[in-house]
Amino acid sequence: MTVAMRLDSIIRIEFIWYWLDEKGRWIEYGKRGSEHSAAATITSFELETAFLADHRGVVFFRAGTQLYELSFQEMVQRNVYYQTKRRVSRWPRIIFFGGGQECDKGHHFESSLPVHVFPSSWDQSALPNLGYKLVTVSKTTGEYHEIKELFENTMEGYIINRLQRIQNPSLWQVFQWQREQMKKLSGGKEVDERLLFHGTSTSHLHDICAQNFDWRICGTHGTLYGKEL
């Protein structure tokens, strides 16, 4: 299904929990995996609630006659009696609302992204399950010099004190999904991506890092080159 999304659509991200069955299929918690397995008595929503309460916690549930424990810290579910283990994953589901979006479901579209591929320049040890982390970019890296050169091309006379990379896995996957949709809408042509700078008040930094730009407050600090997309 092709989705045409306007700029005034609103994006919300939910997180769905899955376990990996013996055939390599990811099964959502609370749903039956196969003809041989019973559905877990705990739902994805209940797992997310427990996870937000304690990222290092353990929850217990049943599937048929078997009792299981799920460790958030290990991201593993374990059969309490047989001690067999299954991998567990938490994936973002993107939900679009309103904005004249055109799709079969009218003004509501969902997309689940079971993909965990991030830029090679990212610090793999600083990938949070929730939210974002700021990672200082070393002055000896090519990444630092590329950004420095771009910045100085339009901001002559200014000094860069420090560069920090925003590592937000959820927003990165949202970006990947939107790019793929743009490619489909353009008949498979590559998307014209550009690196841009945005100036803002320090009071907005956390919200931007955690939730991305909000077009609804565009213009608070000027729109010299047009509205944010």
Side-chain angles (χ1 to χ4, degrees), residues 4-101:
M5 184 180 65
R6 286 178 23 173
L7 295 180
D8 52 351
S9 297
I10 299 174
I11 296 175
R12 191 183 84 224
I13 301 175
E14 294 180 347
F15 287 91
I16 310 300
W17 288 78
Y18 301 85
W19 61 278
L20 188 66
D21 74 2
E22 67 279 0
K23 296 183 179 180
R25 298 173 300 188
W26 289 103
I27 309 299
E28 181 178 341
Y29 277 91
K31 297 184 178 180
R32 187 172 179 179
S34 68
E35 62 277 8
H36 302 297
S37 61
T41 56
I42 195 168
T43 65
S44 177
F45 176 79
E46 291 168 332
L47 281 174
E48 179 66 10
T49 301
F51 175 76
L52 294 177
D54 183 3
H55 291 189
R56 296 177 177 271
V58 174
V59 296
F60 291 87
F61 64 92
R62 289 188 176 275
T65 60
Q66 301 299 311
L67 177 64
Y68 297 88
E69 64 174 3
L70 190 157
S71 167
F72 293 137
Q73 189 169 6
E74 298 179 60
M75 291 301 281
V76 166
Q77 97 175 13
R78 181 181 293 102
N79 186 300
V80 174
Y81 180 78
Y82 293 106
Q83 292 297 301
T84 53
K85 297 180 181 180
R86 297 288 184 190
R87 287 177 56 195
V88 172
S89 283
R90 175 179 179 261
W91 294 329
R93 174 180 291 168
I94 308 168
I95 301 178
F96 298 99
F97 289 98
Q101 178 180 308

Side-chain angles (χ1 to χ4, degrees), residues 117-128 133 135 143 165-173:
V117 179
F118 306 108
S120 58
S121 60
W122 280 26
D123 182 350
Q124 301 300 308
S125 65
L127 293 176
K133 285 189 178 180
V135 178
E143 180 183 15
R165 183 192 313 114
I166 303 167
Q167 296 195 175
N168 187 322
S170 300
L171 290 184
W172 174 255
Q173 293 186 74

Side-chain angles (χ1 to χ4, degrees), residues 198-209:
H198 174 77
T200 189
S201 167
T202 54
S203 63
H204 297 319
L205 289 180
H206 172 73
D207 289 337
I208 292 174
C209 293

